[in-house]
Amino acid sequence: MKLKLNIVGLLAMGILAAPVIFTSCSEDAMDKINENVNKPTDVQAKFVLTDVITRTAFYNVGGDFNTYLSTYVEHEVGVFNQTWNAEHRTNEPSAASTFNNTWGNMYFALRDARIVIEKCSEGGPQAGNYTTLGMGQVMAAYNLALLTDMFGDVPYSEGFKPLEIKNPKLDKQQELYKQVIAYLDAAIVNLPKGDTHASGAAGGQDILFNGNSAKWLKFAYGLKARYGMRLLNVTSNKSAALNEVISNVDKSFASAADEAKFTQYSKTNLNPLFDFQWSRDGLAASKSLADKMIGRKDPRLVRDFFTPQNSKTGVWKQVNDIASNAASYNLLAPNGESEQVQYQYLTSTFVFSQTAPTQLLSYHELLFLKAEAMQRLGQGAATVEPVLKQAVVASIANSEVSVDAALAAPTVAANGTMVETSNKITSAAASDYFDNNVRPLFQANPLKEIANQKYLAFFGASGESTEMYNDIRRWKANGENFVELKNPGKFPLRLPYGNDDTTTNPNVQAAYGDGQYVYTENVWWAGGKR
């Protein structure tokens, strides 16, 4: 991996261990030339942790991955420039430049998570800070899994020794997932032990849980549930794996109050989906998604779409007649066949959700995992159905958070008016929707409806299109085309390596080739070889 490390990063990794010798300047005054007194040479682990969490949420989960993947899974439609190219499978899905920034950010996040681990491990300068160590291990597991989920085999074991190994090898995804699980298992041991070093606990520097080790422990168990399901197709004892998924969910979040969501967005710190759309206007409302909602009479249909701004009046208006008005329906963007045009199609509500949180792991995701695992084990409808209902109600509540964020977006309000034409979906309304509309579909085809409800749940401003991309590939690998996608173009099975390495590391360059492998080669856990 080509890392652009500054001196602080190199020092923190222990790479610059040798003393610097000046042969011509020996006086104290000369020694201080070019010294930046405001740039420390070492940083406590808890301060590094803050950056890891921020980078993971904003750049890695909610950033370019989510933007492009939202078009691949048809939560959104690309209608301009890069996203139009991606929508029409022109260059972007296979180009090494498309995800290069996120490719680099993934390694920066991993590097910093490893710094936290090194500092707080035995022999490190903050040994005894076990809880902070566990936090670093959870974040290392999260980013390593995300990296290999997107790209397959990647440099890792040799990827953090830039002065020793210039061209690190690619590690197999199977081996990388062993490391992911090892990180989580170690975190589960370390998180309850507390922080005993004089530097103190993470406290407010932990911008996910404010130093709450119990919630971090739940986060770790929840990730084990996610990855247990991810690896189901390559697991020999599937029944044992599914039972473990259920067990890990039961040890994880008990409500939405526990979930791992990044909430640090504001008028100036923008939700990444909003940031992209406000500056690029490259996304429009997906016709195939709306069709799924129409078929279910989903109440989110009247909450989740807006007209483009009228340049004369400065007004955006919520559209609540898509199912009944042909003129409104025809303003949905056709998947894979959209025109390259701005301000013509409807847009999703969520592209306006300026302050909506990014979900690293949501409560509703865990419930969907549990429902799927129970159904695959053959447990009866009387057992599975209440879990699925709870998942649907929780997911609608989460979408309402993003709708509220859109309606109150300060930047949007400063540039026009948003007109709300529908009522908030209450938990009672969500429950009625399940009883009347979802239950019959679940009874007819349980796994398919679990998948489709999860698909609808992950539509939004929370960054969950990234995880839906993993689910769709997992289901496809098992021959389960639960979620019908309408784009006539080839479905990308993975993402292309970043050009920082396709141009500098012969190992990555050879694996990348001309980039067309993204359409033909599954990752290992989806039945591929790399």
Side-chain angles (χ1 to χ4, degrees), residues 8-25:
V8 173
L10 291 168
L11 283 169
M13 292 176 67
I15 291 174
L16 297 186
V20 179
I21 301 174
F22 295 95
T23 57
S24 60
C25 301

Side-chain angles (χ1 to χ4, degrees), residues 256-257 259-263 300 303-304 350 353 356-365 368 390-406 424-427 430 454 456-465:
E259 58 195 6
K261 57 190 174 191
F262 183 82
T263 61
R300 286 167 287 195
R303 297 286 285 168
D304 292 356
F350 303 117
S353 299
T358 295
Q359 292 277 11
L360 273 65
L361 181 67
S362 64
Y363 174 56
H364 52 268
E365 178 182 343
F368 283 116
Q390 193 177 3
V392 171
V393 172
S395 68
I396 290 176
N398 180 70
S399 71
E400 283 295 316
V401 171
S402 292
V403 172
D404 288 344
K424 187 178 182 70
I425 305 173
T426 64
S427 60
K454 188 176 186 181
L456 295 174
F458 281 14
F459 168 48
S462 299
E464 292 183 295
S465 294

